[in-house]
Amino acid sequence: MAQGSLNELETHIILSHRVGLCSQTDIESIILLLREESRMIITLIKKLQQ
């Protein structure tokens, strides 16, 4: 569920750039943070499944 929400947020960020609400530089830094968060969620899921 958390991973799906993260993907949805990434989509909203990309769309906000397409309609001119934020710059490419802004979304690049946000997407890097989202990908880092995604890795942490995946790691947590793997640890909980052990």
Side-chain angles (χ1 to χ4, degrees):
M1 187 177 237
Q3 192 67 38
S5 296
L6 195 68
N7 292 336
E8 184 178 1
L9 178 57
E10 183 176 359
T11 301
H12 287 292
I13 297 297
I14 292 168
L15 290 174
S16 69
H17 171 64
R18 287 186 184 173
V19 298
L21 295 175
C22 60
S23 70
Q24 182 70 28
T25 306
D26 292 337
I27 70 160
E28 286 174 358
S29 61
I30 294 169
I31 287 177
L32 286 174
L33 291 170
L34 290 175
R35 290 189 180 150
E36 181 181 343
E37 188 71 27
S38 178
R39 285 190 297 273
M40 289 190 290
I41 291 170
I42 290 168
T43 300
L44 176 62
I45 290 169
K46 287 179 181 178
K47 287 191 183 285
L48 291 173
Q49 289 176 340
Q50 293 177 353

